[in-house]
Amino acid sequence: MFDTGASHNVIDERQAGKLRPRSAAQEKDLPTPQQDDAKFVYAQKLEFGKTVFTQIPFARFDLTFLQRDGVDLLGVLGYPMFASSILELDYRHARIVLHSREDFDDRGLTWQPLTLVNRQPCCEVHIEGHAEQLLIDSGKNGSAFLTAPTVKRLGLLENRTTTPETSAVVGGTLQHEKGRLRSLQVGGKTWMDAPVSLSRASTTGKAPTNPAGRIGCLYLDPFTVFLDCSGDRVAWRLHSAKPASKLADYEGRYGPIGPSSLHVRLTKGRLELEHNGQRRQLSPGKGDLFHQDGTLSRIRFVREGVKVTALEISR
């Protein structure tokens, strides 16, 4: 997982044996993230796109709590990966780019101040009119999280309907309240009746440590975000608001794949795949990925306007 909210790279204990332990001299110079008993290992080489890193430290943790949608996440890439580059983060189009600071063309971007707190990038947002510093956290599912001191100082649990929730954090759980803010402004865009998680600071593990809270993927999705941690600046480029045209209904077959064909139905924007008696529904957006006999495949509609004329499936 690529996580701008992680001050360090982290690897799951189950995979740590594949990397080399650091010497005591090297380890004493590394600040420990979250847990005081963290131990570091390092990767001799790590390739991320066209960027190659060497001798990269990883903190060892039990990351089983990070399992999401049946995906077993075995590591987290954090601050060391983008500390000296300009990070381009586009949630909506599933795109991450590391740009060289020397060659980056920032024409058309408006930069705003960025503050690093414990190697975590924070920016100013407005919570019901109050200016606060929140962590830009690409690893957080959902909306925004506000810490207990912020919630208390701004009186955010007063005269507000909320629902209790529990979230997994490093080493335990965190109790908070799920509710809505009258307004939340991020990157110049304002949400009314904005979803939020409000902490009560009841935790059995390590609570997040950042100024006022963190911004999750719900509020990052409308933007391409550019983080320049070395230059203490951030830019927000809002995606086009032009709605995509809807596809007309379609039904077809592809294959055979193994003992039977893949049956595809597109009805009112909902895509259903059926193979060997098993069905799965997807959203036919920019190209859907699905597993078939252990092979990752991509499905694409050939279209004329809103009419589907053919179906392409590639491995």
Side-chain angles (χ1 to χ4, degrees):
M1 178 172 68
F2 196 96
D3 186 359
T4 57
S7 59
H8 291 70
N9 296 326
V10 181
I11 190 167
D12 189 84
E13 288 284 3
R14 293 166 291 174
Q15 298 293 312
K18 298 179 180 180
L19 305 181
R20 294 185 178 182
R22 299 187 68 86
S23 68
Q26 291 172 313
E27 189 168 314
K28 71 180 179 62
D29 295 327
L30 291 169
T32 302
Q34 302 293 330
Q35 292 184 356
D36 295 335
D37 58 351
K39 298 297 181 181
F40 287 87
V41 292
Y42 74 96
Q44 289 184 298
K45 181 180 180 182
L46 190 153
E47 297 183 31
F48 188 90
K50 297 181 180 180
T51 306
V52 179
F53 300 87
T54 57
Q55 306 300 316
I56 300 298
F58 283 80
R60 300 173 55 165
F61 286 109
D62 179 1
L63 297 180
T64 52
F65 75 97
L66 281 179
Q67 289 189 2
R68 297 176 180 175
D69 301 324
V71 178
D72 194 9
L73 298 177
L74 298 178
V76 175
L77 299 179
Y79 176 76
M81 306 301 296
F82 58 90
S84 58
S85 304
I86 293 181
L87 169 64
E88 178 181 344
L89 178 65
D90 184 349
Y91 242 107
R92 182 167 298 181
H93 301 104
R95 185 168 182 263
I96 297 173
V97 183
L98 295 177
H99 297 279
S100 164
R101 298 189 75 246
E102 292 75 18
D103 301 329
F104 183 67
D105 183 358
D106 64 355
R107 285 177 294 182
L109 296 180
T110 300
W111 294 101
Q112 299 174 7
L114 181 75
T115 303
L116 281 179
V117 179
N118 298 325
R119 294 160 50 114
Q120 296 173 315
C122 302
C123 68
E124 184 177 279
V125 306
H126 288 83
I127 303 169
E128 297 185 345
H130 301 277
E132 300 286 345
Q133 289 283 320
L134 263 66
L135 166 64
I136 301 170
D137 190 356
S138 67
K140 176 179 172 20
N141 278 343
S143 57
F145 171 87
L146 300 181
T147 61
T150 305
V151 171
K152 183 177 180 179
R153 176 164 45 83
L154 299 181
L156 296 178
L157 286 176
E158 299 173 7
N159 302 316
R160 195 181 306 270
T161 301
T162 60
T163 304
E165 273 197 337
T166 302
S167 297
V169 296
V170 175
T173 58
L174 179 67
Q175 306 296 323
H176 55 89
E177 298 289 326
K178 185 177 180 180
R180 290 183 176 271
L181 300 171
R182 289 189 293 274
S183 66
L184 178 68
Q185 186 184 84
V186 179
K189 177 178 172 61
T190 301
W191 284 261
M192 308 303 293
D193 197 30
V196 68
S197 294
L198 306 170
S199 176
R200 286 189 179 274
S202 175
T203 177
T204 61
K206 296 286 185 176
T209 55
N210 46 73
R214 52 187 64 202
I215 308 164
C217 61
L218 176 66
Y219 299 119
L220 298 178
D221 181 77
F223 304 96
T224 299
V225 185
F226 297 87
L227 290 177
D228 181 6
C229 293
S230 297
D232 297 324
R233 58 182 186 167
V234 58
W236 307 80
R237 186 170 67 197
L238 194 63
H239 293 309
S240 171
K242 182 180 179 181
S245 59
K246 295 183 179 180
L247 293 175
D249 291 355
Y250 172 83
E251 185 168 353
R253 291 184 179 274
Y254 177 85
I257 301 176
S260 63
S261 298
L262 175 68
H263 192 181
V264 179
R265 300 183 189 90
L266 178 65
T267 308
K268 295 182 179 180
R270 297 177 66 89
L271 175 64
E272 183 179 85
L273 305 178
E274 181 178 351
H275 185 255
N276 289 342
Q278 296 184 345
R279 295 182 180 181
R280 182 181 178 187
Q281 289 188 337
L282 300 171
S283 174
K286 43 198 176 292
D288 297 287
L289 295 177
F290 66 98
H291 287 278
Q292 181 58 52
D293 299 330
T295 303
L296 191 64
S297 300
R298 182 178 295 276
I299 183 170
R300 187 175 75 86
F301 292 100
V302 180
R303 51 192 286 188
E304 293 179 0
V306 298
K307 182 180 178 181
V308 176
T309 58
L311 180 70
E312 291 183 356
I313 296 182
S314 58
R315 288 186 171 87

